[in-house]
Amino acid sequence: MIRFILVFSGFILYLILTLVIVPFGLLIGVFNRKARDYMFLRMVQGAFKSFLFITGTKLTVIGEENIPRDRAVLYIGNHRSYFDILVTYSRCPGLTGYVAKKSLQKVPLLNMWMKFLYCLFLDRDNMKEGMKMILTGVEYLKKGISVCIFPEGTRGEEEGKLLPFKGGSLKMAEKAGAPIIPMALSNTYSIWEKQFPKMRPAHVILEYGQPIYTDQLDKDEKKNLGVRTQKVIQEMLDKNTPNI
């Protein structure tokens, strides 16, 4: 339980302390928006890395060189744990907004940070709002802000197995002409959820697949984009799951 207490206390303390830091960041943003954004990005990445260190997580990263550094991308990954966000966000080379459930907009302080970090809020029960979210994601990608989404729609129940993808999420990349980076996360579930509420050391593997350049696909290939991306992720999971 000590790891859980340390992570939870650290998270609350971080949110409180940032009330002092945020006004300074906002002042910087008046003169240089990019500097403000990267300041917030690196702050959160530092906090996430600290939380992973406290839990004793050993992270193996494969294929990080597959992430283009000169343009925004759409990260597509499998979802097994809340720690998927900490693991992947701590590795993002540039500004990246995550797609999150709309209910998180109601969490004080957390919602403020999520907006600063360009998170997109999804209302699964409102198709019109869902379309607006996709269009906002397209705007982000065109402006150079990457987007990350877990298209299973919920956390999977079995290690190494994918739930069906919600196909609409990949439309962002297609409409923006942005590359898709498939991500495979193995064993994040063992950090916390497996023995909830305890946190235990775990060996996590994060693999990035080869980029799928949507602006180079023909019409038929775009129709099967979800299936193709899911297949790539499943192949990486099949390879890495036995090694955890």
Side-chain angles (χ1 to χ4, degrees), residues 4-16:
F4 171 78
I5 294 170
L6 287 173
V7 170
F8 183 76
S9 300
F11 176 69
I12 298 300
L13 182 62
Y14 177 83
L15 289 178
I16 294 173

Side-chain angles (χ1 to χ4, degrees), residues 120-148:
L120 298 162
F121 297 97
L122 175 62
D123 184 351
R124 296 192 182 98
D125 299 321
N126 189 322
M127 187 176 294
K128 185 177 180 181
E129 289 299 315
M131 285 302 300
K132 286 183 180 179
M133 185 275 293
I134 290 174
L135 292 175
T136 301
V138 172
E139 290 178 14
Y140 283 179
L141 290 166
K142 288 181 177 179
K143 290 178 181 178
I145 301 168
S146 296
V147 175
C148 179

Side-chain angles (χ1 to χ4, degrees), residues 223-238:
K223 286 181 180 179
N224 297 308
L225 190 53
V227 174
R228 175 178 175 177
T229 305
Q230 186 167 0
K231 182 181 179 183
V232 171
I233 295 173
Q234 187 64 67
E235 288 173 349
M236 291 190 289
L237 290 174
D238 291 342

Side-chain angles (χ1 to χ4, degrees), residues 6-237:
L6 287 173
V7 170
F8 183 76
S9 300
F11 176 69
I12 298 300
L13 182 62
Y14 177 83
L15 289 178
I16 294 173
L17 289 177
T18 54
L19 290 176
V20 178
I21 300 172
V22 164
F24 177 68
L26 294 177
L27 180 61
I28 291 176
V30 173
F31 304 98
N32 190 328
R33 177 68 174 268
K34 185 176 181 180
R36 185 210 77 172
D37 287 347
Y38 272 90
M39 171 186 166
F40 288 158
L41 169 69
R42 302 309 180 202
M43 283 175 57
V44 175
Q45 287 182 321
F48 284 179
K49 288 177 181 178
S50 297
F51 297 153
L52 291 170
F53 176 78
I54 292 171
T55 63
T57 300
K58 177 187 176 183
L59 179 61
T60 297
V61 182
I62 303 169
E64 202 162 23
E65 68 278 3
N66 290 327
I67 305 173
R69 296 302 198 269
D70 60 344
R71 59 195 298 189
V73 303
L74 178 66
Y75 295 100
I76 298 291
N78 62 304
H79 194 22
R80 282 279 284 150
S81 167
Y82 288 112
F83 276 85
D84 295 336
I85 298 163
L86 278 70
V87 169
T88 56
Y89 193 77
S90 65
R91 309 299 305 189
C92 291
L95 301 176
T96 305
Y98 277 54
V99 175
K101 55 186 178 182
K102 191 176 181 180
S103 59
L104 291 176
Q105 281 185 308
K106 300 178 181 179
V107 181
L109 296 182
L110 179 62
N111 56 7
M112 174 187 72
W113 270 105
M114 292 181 77
K115 290 176 182 176
F116 286 154
L117 300 174
Y118 294 97
C119 287
L120 298 162
F121 297 97
L122 175 62
D123 184 351
R124 296 192 182 98
D125 299 321
N126 189 322
M127 187 176 294
K128 185 177 180 181
E129 289 299 315
M131 285 302 300
K132 286 183 180 179
M133 185 275 293
I134 290 174
L135 292 175
T136 301
V138 172
E139 290 178 14
Y140 283 179
L141 290 166
K142 288 181 177 179
K143 290 178 181 178
I145 301 168
S146 296
V147 175
C148 179
I149 189 166
F150 302 108
E152 292 169 283
T154 187
R155 283 174 289 156
E157 297 180 357
E158 185 177 355
E159 187 67 47
K161 301 297 180 183
L162 288 168
L163 297 174
F165 278 12
K166 309 293 183 183
S169 57
L170 280 74
K171 291 290 184 182
M172 289 186 201
E174 185 181 334
K175 291 181 179 295
I180 290 174
I181 301 295
M183 299 187 303
L185 288 145
S186 299
N187 208 36
T188 50
Y189 182 78
S190 294
I191 300 174
W192 187 31
E193 288 87 349
K194 187 176 181 179
Q195 63 283 325
F196 179 86
K198 296 180 180 179
M199 292 180 180
R200 291 179 177 169
H203 177 207
V204 171
I205 300 177
L206 167 61
E207 181 168 4
Y208 298 97
Q210 292 285 339
I212 300 172
Y213 290 97
T214 57
D215 54 358
Q216 298 176 10
L217 301 179
D218 60 33
K219 193 173 182 179
D220 289 335
E221 288 174 322
K222 288 180 180 179
K223 286 181 180 179
N224 297 308
L225 190 53
V227 174
R228 175 178 175 177
T229 305
Q230 186 167 0
K231 182 181 179 183
V232 171
I233 295 173
Q234 187 64 67
E235 288 173 349
M236 291 190 289
L237 290 174

